[in-house]
Amino acid sequence: QVQLVESGGGLVQPGGSLRLSCAASGSAFRIYVMGWYRQASGKQRELVAVITSDGNTNSADSVKGRFTISRDNAKNTVYLQMNSLKPEDTAVYYCNANNKRLSTNYWGQGTQVTVSS
């Protein structure tokens, strides 16, 4: 069992930056592909960025060049650095831990990010 706790959300003006953090419980953090997803009001949840245990990353085209995902396996934490934020980035951001081989998938409770002037 893995518990994920997100933090770092809030209200920011367009063009601003935020860093989200997701702390994971348990000792098997390294075996999980970690991801950030978001869900805007009235829309489906979508992938923002993922990072494998050895640091390979992938991100949605809409955030490429603005958002960076990273992880610290020693701290069981994954981060999402968000720069040049736009109003369309407003959403609840969720942390995800996935291991296909073990068929396990966990979600955090979400953190609200609001980009508005």
Side-chain angles (χ1 to χ4, degrees):
Q1 187 78 9
V2 174
Q3 291 186 326
L4 304 172
V5 179
E6 300 102 332
S7 61
L11 173 64
V12 64
Q13 292 187 340
S17 297
L18 281 176
R19 188 175 84 152
L20 304 183
S21 299
C22 172
S25 66
S27 59
F29 179 75
R30 290 176 183 269
I31 70 172
Y32 289 94
V33 173
M34 300 300 298
W36 287 98
Y37 291 72
R38 66 186 181 187
Q39 187 167 18
S41 180
K43 295 187 177 181
Q44 290 189 332
R45 192 173 296 189
E46 63 176 3
L47 172 69
V48 177
V50 292
I51 184 167
T52 65
S53 57
D54 55 1
N56 292 317
T57 64
N58 194 16
S59 58
D61 288 343
S62 59
V63 306
K64 275 187 167 67
R66 300 188 299 123
F67 291 11
T68 303
I69 188 170
S70 61
R71 66 191 292 165
D72 186 336
N73 290 334
K75 295 182 178 180
N76 283 13
T77 301
V78 61
Y79 306 97
L80 185 68
Q81 178 66 44
M82 304 186 294
N83 299 326
S84 302
L85 281 159
K86 304 175 181 180
E88 51 264 44
D89 295 318
T90 295
V92 178
Y93 283 71
Y94 295 92
C95 180
N96 175 264
N98 181 270
N99 186 298
K100 289 185 177 179
R101 184 175 62 84
L102 298 177
S103 298
T104 53
N105 192 58
Y106 301 100
W107 292 95
Q109 83 286 353
T111 185
Q112 177 71 46
V113 171
T114 302
V115 185
S116 175
S117 55

